[in-house]
Amino acid sequence: MAVTEPAPAVPPAARTQTRPTDQRDQWDETDQRGRQDQQEQRGLQEQTGRQEQRDLRDRQEQRGRQGGGEYEGILRRQAQRESAARTYARSLPIVPVRARGLTIEGADGRRYLDCLSGAGTLALGHNHPVVLEAIRKVLDSGAPLHVLDLATPVKDAFTTELFATLPGGLADDARIQFCGPAGTDAVEAALKLVRTATGRSGLLAFTGAYHGMTAGALDASGGATDVRVTRLPYPQQYRCPFGVGGERGAELAARWTENLLDDPKSGVTTPAGMIVEAVQGEGGVIPAPDDWMRRMRRITADRSVPLIVDEVQTGVGRTGTFWAVEHSGVVPDVMVLSKAIGGSLPLAVVVYRSELDAWEPGAHAGTFRGNQLAMAAGAATLAYVRENKLAERAGTLGARILGRLQGLAAAHPCVGDVRGRGLMIGVELVDPEAAGPDDPVPPSAPALALAVQQECLARGLIVELGGRHSAVVRLLPPLTLTDEQATAVLDRFADALAAAERAHTPHLPASHRAMAPRNASGPSH
């Protein structure tokens, strides 16, 4: 039976945008509106009642109603025309019309601080000048935009810049395969590669993993039910699968893996490869302990099992090093790269040791693997991040943000854990009242996390949810985030968290809330 989907929640009616000749004048006008919004938001933070929140929203809605509600029709038509599989559009009912850096402007005239960044794609934020200049240069040159896998100067420049950033032990003898323009196709290529090179078919993957939405990538992801892929425990500090956490938990996870491979009665034959994320992003922003990563490298190397590291979301400076695997010093056999390497445009590649290059011509292909604009934008992005040391900046600023969030954890019992690396940060929300006497930590609170996300959006802050139960609020700001912008993001998040907590736990006395168990951990090492 067909089900009619209700139209999404629509923000206030909006003003139809016209594009003036001088874009800087238009930005000045919206900058002034943004400053007014920010001043009002700061004033609101000094209040505790919900009436002030409603008053602020009413003023913003009144601004949006000036000029009509054209964008409401856009949202309705999206709900009518697009598939039920759409995701971000459900929780973020906005219509972006312009963007620059951290900021998105919606068709309603409201400005949002974007801490989703295209799920980590926008290392330099929206429409960075070096990215736009690189794209214009290709367009103005008359170069072909579609070339399949033919050699071009643009492609050569991108590959040269990419190889200059790779871990030394891999860059010295690497091969690259350009894939279809999505990380999931690069994962498929990596799995196909190691199976071809080893002549084996099995695969080792980890609980909580996410590697994409195509069939093979889903098989390797944490939610899959296909038993052809062997699942291994991924170490966690907060929700340790062995109930101990820390170094002991990571040691037990490594022993499990080692025993499974060496036990002739385990039912697991020597696999074609192991695929792992140095930080599980969609799994809840869980950094792998560095010692554990080194242990996985030794285990795989000793048994001639290729190690695949999925850097689709963690790469290009996001975690405080250019590639997240560099925190541990591990040099993998295969790296899967996408998102930020395209400078905001679709691009995905697999980089691997030359000894694995056992493919026949055409063994992996894709019509759009020669995206010239993405290669130009990607080369510019890689160079800018490298030359301006944005990875180091992400590590320093991320540590400060974690510290501020850990302060929130001390004041809010619903914050179970704060974790992350660099500018890849997660805040896990929990329900302290639902914890049983034998529970090491409280259960996740997905409804509260959704409320926090909605309160953030109402305050002009875009965040994403992740984790096993969608109870982790994720922050993925661009690497160009300034100190002032970071403060604005944290102020809005703190206000949204307080508002959502008041709405969900109005009956809890402050003295009881202060006793709730919590953990505020930084990066695992």
Side-chain angles (χ1 to χ4, degrees):
M1 182 177 66
V3 177
T4 301
E5 180 183 353
V10 180
R15 175 176 62 254
T16 301
Q17 294 291 325
T18 57
R19 187 180 182 89
T21 303
D22 189 342
Q23 293 184 353
R24 286 175 296 183
D25 290 345
Q26 188 176 18
W27 273 110
D28 289 342
E29 294 174 5
T30 55
D31 283 343
Q32 184 175 3
R33 287 199 303 273
R35 286 192 295 271
Q36 292 171 352
D37 286 347
Q38 188 176 40
Q39 290 170 358
E40 292 171 344
Q41 296 283 2
R42 289 175 178 170
L44 176 59
Q45 290 166 7
E46 299 174 358
Q47 306 295 329
T48 58
R50 297 187 62 81
Q51 182 60 47
E52 287 78 7
Q53 297 176 36
R54 288 193 291 269
D55 290 344
L56 174 61
R57 292 171 191 165
D58 288 344
R59 289 193 296 272
Q60 292 172 335
E61 288 174 7
Q62 185 176 4
R63 292 177 193 154
R65 283 192 292 269
Q66 299 171 1
E70 170 63 20
Y71 87 117
E72 292 184 12
I74 295 175
L75 289 175
R76 291 195 183 97
R77 286 190 291 275
Q78 181 187 40
Q80 293 167 357
R81 296 168 175 172
E82 295 188 22
S83 81
R86 69 190 188 283
T87 53
Y88 299 108
R90 296 178 183 275
S91 57
L92 302 172
I94 62 175
V95 179
V97 293
R98 290 189 309 133
R100 184 178 65 180
L102 178 67
T103 305
I104 288 177
E105 182 173 342
D108 58 351
R110 289 199 64 196
R111 287 160 59 91
Y112 301 86
L113 303 182
D114 181 11
C115 283
L116 176 56
S117 300
T121 299
L122 304 173
L124 304 184
H126 294 274
N127 293 326
H128 193 281
V130 301
V131 172
L132 297 182
E133 177 59 27
I135 293 172
R136 290 191 190 101
K137 185 176 179 180
V138 174
L139 292 173
D140 293 343
S141 72
L145 300 183
H146 189 287
V147 294
L148 296 172
D149 64 351
L150 301 181
T152 70
V154 173
K155 185 179 188 179
D156 182 65
F158 169 80
T159 304
T160 300
E161 183 60 46
L162 177 65
F163 274 42
T165 71
L166 295 174
L170 180 59
D172 297 340
D173 186 35
R175 297 290 184 271
I176 185 171
Q177 169 67 28
F178 288 85
C179 304
T184 189
D185 188 63
V187 169
E188 297 281 353
L191 303 184
K192 186 187 298 183
L193 171 73
V194 296
R195 283 169 171 153
T196 300
T198 65
R200 303 188 291 261
S201 61
L203 181 69
L204 300 178
F206 291 88
T207 56
Y210 177 77
H211 298 292
M213 295 300 293
T214 50
L218 282 173
D219 283 350
S221 298
T225 57
D226 194 319
V227 297
R228 291 178 300 173
V229 176
T230 301
R231 298 291 185 279
L232 302 172
Y234 191 92
Q236 299 187 53
Q237 171 67 25
Y238 189 59
R239 298 190 185 277
C240 175
F242 303 103
V244 295
E247 294 181 2
R248 179 60 176 162
E251 170 64 20
L252 290 173
R255 283 192 183 185
W256 180 288
T257 299
E258 205 164 24
N259 183 71
L260 195 72
L261 289 173
D262 293 342
D263 183 355
K265 297 297 184 180
S266 68
V268 177
T269 59
T270 302
M274 172 190 286
I275 184 168
V276 64
E277 299 160 277
V279 180
Q280 285 194 345
E282 302 300 325
V285 192
I286 304 174
D290 291 340
D291 285 342
W292 178 84
M293 282 293 295
R294 289 187 282 267
R295 185 76 172 272
M296 292 301 102
R297 174 68 284 189
R298 289 195 298 271
I299 289 172
T300 53
D302 289 348
R303 294 158 181 81
S304 299
V305 175
L307 177 64
I308 306 166
V309 174
D310 183 339
E311 291 264 11
V312 168
Q313 191 170 89
T314 54
V316 193
R318 168 64 55 190
T319 69
T321 54
F322 210 96
W323 307 106
V325 73
E326 292 178 299
H327 287 288
S328 64
V330 163
V331 178
D333 301 300
V334 183
M335 291 177 67
V336 180
L337 313 176
S338 189
K339 292 191 184 294
I341 67 165
S344 76
L345 299 179
L347 188 63
V349 303
V350 179
V351 178
Y352 53 93
R353 296 186 188 277
S354 61
E355 64 195 59
L356 297 174
D357 198 19
W359 273 339
E360 295 293 330
H364 195 81
T367 302
F368 294 102
R369 63 192 184 277
N371 189 337
Q372 296 295 281
L373 294 181
M375 292 177 189
T381 297
L382 294 171
Y384 191 90
V385 171
R386 176 177 55 81
E387 293 167 0
N388 290 277
K389 301 185 183 304
L390 292 191
E392 294 87 339
R393 163 71 177 170
T396 301
L397 183 56
R400 292 207 295 267
I401 293 174
L402 280 172
R404 171 81 181 273
L405 292 171
Q406 288 163 0
L408 286 179
H412 296 275
C414 63
V415 177
D417 193 27
V418 175
R419 55 184 179 256
R421 253 184 164 157
L423 291 176
M424 189 173 183
I425 296 170
V427 179
E428 182 167 348
L429 300 181
V430 299
D431 184 358
E433 287 295 281
D438 298 325
D439 293 336
V441 295
S444 299
L448 176 60
L450 180 60
V452 170
Q453 183 187 43
Q454 293 170 344
E455 293 286 354
C456 284
L457 188 64
R459 288 158 177 77
L461 176 62
I462 296 174
V463 298
E464 173 59 337
L465 301 182
R468 266 62 164 187
H469 305 286
S470 297
V472 177
V473 180
R474 301 189 59 196
L475 298 177
L476 288 165
L479 309 188
T480 52
L481 186 75
T482 66
D483 291 345
E484 183 181 21
Q485 289 172 333
T487 298
V489 167
L490 290 169
D491 286 347
R492 296 185 192 193
F493 177 77
D495 188 40
L497 176 65
E501 186 180 36
R502 285 195 302 270
H504 276 70
T505 59
H507 61 287
L508 290 180
S511 60
H512 183 81
R513 290 200 297 263
M515 296 173 61
R518 64 180 65 85
N519 180 33
S521 59
S524 302
H525 296 285

